[in-house]
Amino acid sequence: MPAAGALAQGPHAPAAGFRYGAPVTVYRTRFAPSPTGQMHLGHARTHLVAWLRARDAGGRVLMRIEDLDRPRVVEGAAEGLLRDHEWLGLDWDEGPLRQSTRSARYEEALDVLRAAGRAYPCTCSRKDIAQAASAPHDREPVYPGTCREGPTQPWRPRAWRFRVEDADRRGFEDGVLGAVPPPAPDAMGDFVLRRADGLFAYQLAVTVDDADEGVTEVVRGADLVASTPRQLALYRALGLRAPAFAHVALAVDGQGRRLAKRDGAQSIASLRAAGVSPERILGALACSLGLTASAAPVSLAELRGRLDLSRLPPGPARLALAG
Ligand code: GLU
């Protein structure tokens, strides 16, 4: 077997600049649940989309447990999430990778940003610093830049923030939502990379993980759409290749309320305990995604080949399991 690269040096070496074509990239997506509570119908719905994307493309699904926000991690929740995915048939090919084991890698990335002048220490004591380890569903408070020129209270423990430049406020093309406009300056301020207590922030960790795991498409709930320009700015600053993004509009219950973890009645574990079958849950999810005309029970195998991202409902869809 010739050594790798031997062909390129042989008599038929390509002319400089010649490319054989795009590198073969296998589709890779991930489930990235936070073990802060139980899996509910909304998560299952988004993960069904991710799973179908991967299976229809002959690609791979990675499981990542986003357990960075230690104070909010619930004992046993990670095991429950894994069990619920398995029970629904939403299987994965790699992982679970636990973010709590990855601090050294996040530190390396932070070093790169520090060396490039893109990270600065911040001594402000603000609620947003305290919350930075969790994914900011919907809006995150905007930082006014107080410590940009140097820590204003140098005796205090320091967080690290990303220095956002005007060029970072860019829109992007979303697989479900289409063209997402650039964020307004007052919607994307310097965000936290590492909190003063040493915990790495969601934005940095998720970017490093998605890049290291070779994720080619991130499929997640539309409540994280405002995080994407931040993550795209980090990919550029770190010199990493960004994946595609697809944000699935959230589901609402029969009363039009957003499905939330605290709504225990709609957790997968409670539905399962009440004797509801995976096929009935999949039927309700598929119908709310417009994949089937009715919410009749359906198997994952029957849903293969039916998903077209660009035809998913762009706004909230009703999802309820009639008793
Ligand atoms: N861990 C986040 C959550 O459970 C998801 C983050 C992501 O998909 O980027 O909400």
Side-chain angles (χ1 to χ4, degrees):
M1 192 94 161
L7 188 63
Q9 288 150 22
H12 304 295
F18 179 85
R19 291 172 50 204
Y20 284 102
V24 179
T25 313
V26 174
Y27 180 97
R28 290 167 73 80
T29 193
R30 43 51 162 205
F31 299 148
S34 301
T36 53
Q38 292 187 329
M39 181 181 191
H40 64 64
L41 282 176
H43 301 123
R45 183 170 178 271
T46 306
H47 288 188
L48 172 60
V49 174
W51 188 90
L52 287 170
R53 286 289 287 167
R55 298 298 174 235
D56 286 348
R60 293 174 79 78
V61 181
L62 325 175
M63 174 64 86
R64 181 190 313 143
I65 301 293
E66 302 215 322
D67 57 354
L68 269 187
D69 195 354
R70 268 169 259 153
R72 291 190 56 223
V73 166
V74 172
E75 174 97 28
E79 293 65 33
L81 292 166
L82 297 177
R83 210 172 33 241
D84 291 345
H85 281 85
E86 270 168 5
W87 180 72
L88 285 169
L90 299 175
D91 58 354
W92 59 93
D93 309 297
E94 295 174 34
L97 176 75
R98 288 172 198 264
Q99 287 191 318
S100 53
T101 64
R102 304 252 310 146
S103 297
R105 193 61 194 113
Y106 307 145
E107 187 66 53
E108 266 174 39
L110 182 55
D111 277 343
V112 171
L113 297 173
R114 282 191 192 110
R118 298 302 304 271
Y120 67 87
C122 168
T123 52
C124 297
S125 161
R126 292 172 55 91
K127 220 163 145 228
D128 54 325
I129 297 181
Q131 289 170 344
S134 302
H137 296 275
D138 296 324
R139 266 180 87 96
E140 185 193 12
V142 172
Y143 180 65
T146 319
C147 290
R148 263 196 157 208
E149 309 314 325
T152 45
Q153 302 169 77
W155 59 92
R156 299 184 57 128
R158 33 185 70 186
W160 286 83
R161 281 185 186 274
F162 184 70
R163 191 183 295 277
V164 173
E165 294 170 353
D166 285 343
D168 290 324
R169 296 192 184 89
R170 295 193 202 175
F172 65 96
E173 196 57 34
D174 187 275
V176 178
L177 307 173
V180 175
D186 65 354
M188 181 171 161
D190 294 347
F191 54 88
V192 176
L193 299 167
R194 200 180 73 188
R195 302 182 348 181
D197 62 7
L199 286 190
F200 285 95
Y202 159 74
Q203 305 290 3
L204 180 67
V206 80
T207 302
V208 172
D209 289 344
D210 283 335
D212 280 0
E213 294 202 275
V215 168
T216 60
E217 183 175 74
V218 169
V219 178
R220 62 186 173 198
D223 52 343
L224 284 168
V225 77
S227 286
T228 303
R230 293 169 175 76
Q231 290 162 25
L232 289 170
L234 287 176
Y235 282 103
R236 287 191 298 271
L238 290 165
L240 299 170
R241 179 202 288 252
F245 287 89
H247 291 90
V248 180
L250 298 182
V252 290
D253 68 11
Q255 280 81 51
R257 291 175 313 199
R258 184 166 136 184
L259 303 179
K261 276 187 190 171
R262 62 181 174 275
D263 192 1
Q266 297 289 300
S267 79
I268 302 302
S270 64
L271 291 167
R272 176 186 186 177
V276 179
S277 69
E279 289 75 17
R280 255 191 83 201
I281 295 178
L282 293 171
L285 300 178
C287 181
S288 81
L289 289 163
L291 304 181
T292 51
S294 84
V298 72
S299 70
L300 281 171
E302 290 170 279
L303 293 175
R304 296 277 298 270
R306 293 200 196 186
L307 175 73
D308 176 352
L309 269 195
S310 64
R311 301 186 65 168
L312 285 181
R318 265 187 59 173
L319 169 59
L321 269 176

